[in-house]
């Protein structure tokens, strides 16, 4: 059985396994993914009412060591609250997770453009090559500065996790575990 997102907040089961285009591309979730996401949703839905409120989101985020403000929590809920109920329902949570998968797929494709030798890392020479292909004639110093900025662990290469954090705007000082 395959679950397809056919629009905002709409999850439909298809028996034929055919993909249907959703609002953000062709994202299929397997039964296993659906179950994992449902379990994660249940962890956030502390009172078990079928919704995640900003208060519940804050509680879980604090358990994870984060300290988001009330304004940040509201923005997180608002981002996925398609029916404007003020909370996140399971279908909206699935939509959010499918969207994250889609974003990660796009980031991986861009990473692969830079990772010319497919070793899982971007070297300064690979960065220079791609920048030149894009019409950017950068000096060696400029390339090295870009590498230092993106290379969080200091190994002289930019791995996928470092690249993903950079592309998705995650805090460069946050752990990449």
């Amino acid at each position: 059985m395959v679950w397809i997102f056919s629009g905002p907040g709409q999850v439909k089961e298809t028996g034929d396994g055919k993909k249907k285009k959703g609002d953000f591309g062709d994202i299929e979730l397997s039964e296993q993914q659906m179950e994992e996401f449902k379990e994660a949703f249940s962890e956030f839905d502390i009172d078990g009412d079928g919704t995640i409120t900003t208060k519940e989101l804050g509680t879980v985020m604090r358990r994870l060591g984060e300290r988001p403000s009330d304004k940040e929590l509201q923005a997180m809920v608002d981002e996925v609250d398609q029916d404007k109920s003020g909370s996140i329902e399971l279908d909206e949570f699935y939509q959010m997770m499918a969207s994250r998968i889609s974003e990660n797929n796009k980031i991986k494709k861009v990473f692969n453009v830079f990772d010319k030798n497919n070793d899982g890392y971007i070297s300064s020479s690979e960065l220079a090559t791609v920048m030149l292909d894009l019409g950017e004639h950068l000096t060696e110093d400029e390339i090295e500065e870009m590498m230092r900025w993106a290379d969080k662990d200091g190994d002289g290469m930019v791995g996928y996790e470092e690249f993903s954090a950079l592309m998705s705007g995650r805090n460069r000082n946050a752990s990449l575990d």
Side-chain angles (χ1 to χ4, degrees):
M1 185 179 319
V2 177
W3 296 88
I4 307 290
F5 287 95
S6 59
Q10 299 175 356
V11 181
K12 295 192 178 178
E13 175 185 342
T14 84
D16 60 8
K18 291 183 181 177
K19 291 183 179 182
K20 294 182 182 175
K21 190 140 178 110
D23 286 349
F24 45 81
D26 295 331
I27 300 298
E28 285 188 57
L29 296 179
S30 68
E31 284 187 68
Q32 180 180 350
Q33 287 173 310
M34 295 289 290
E35 188 58 36
E36 288 172 4
F37 294 153
K38 187 175 182 178
E39 287 176 27
F41 180 86
S42 295
E43 291 291 321
F44 282 87
D45 181 17
I46 296 168
D47 64 7
D49 70 351
T51 65
I52 300 171
T53 63
T54 54
K55 184 177 179 183
E56 290 170 321
L57 182 60
T59 299
V60 173
M61 297 290 285
R62 284 186 282 284
R63 286 183 192 164
L64 296 172
E66 300 290 325
R67 300 283 180 249
S69 69
D70 288 343
K71 188 176 183 178
E72 290 170 321
L73 289 168
Q74 188 62 55
M76 288 178 196
V77 169
D78 290 346
E79 186 176 333
V80 297
D81 182 20
Q82 297 167 347
D83 64 5
K84 306 298 182 211
S85 66
S87 61
I88 302 170
E89 288 80 27
L90 183 59
D91 282 353
E92 292 168 333
F93 190 76
Y94 287 146
Q95 188 81 13
M96 177 185 73
M97 298 308 292
S99 213
R100 290 185 65 152
I101 291 169
S102 178
E103 179 184 333
N104 289 339
N105 290 346
K106 290 174 189 172
I107 290 171
K108 184 65 175 166
K109 285 180 184 177
V110 173
F111 179 82
N112 290 339
V113 168
F114 283 87
D115 182 18
K116 296 287 190 187
N117 65 359
N118 298 316
D119 67 352
Y121 296 93
I122 300 170
S123 66
S124 56
S125 64
E126 288 170 318
L127 176 61
T129 299
V130 172
M131 296 307 289
L132 193 57
D133 290 347
L134 294 172
E136 294 291 330
H137 301 278
L138 302 176
T139 66
E140 190 173 321
D141 287 343
E142 289 170 322
I143 294 291
E144 292 306 318
E145 182 179 342
M146 289 174 75
M147 289 296 292
R148 279 192 303 275
W149 184 74
D151 179 19
K152 186 179 185 306
D153 63 11
D155 66 356
M157 307 281 269
V158 177
Y160 175 72
E161 288 298 320
E162 293 165 314
F163 185 81
S164 179
L166 180 69
M167 294 299 290
S168 63
R170 293 193 308 259
N171 185 344
R172 278 187 25 83
N173 296 320
S175 172
L176 292 175
D177 296 344

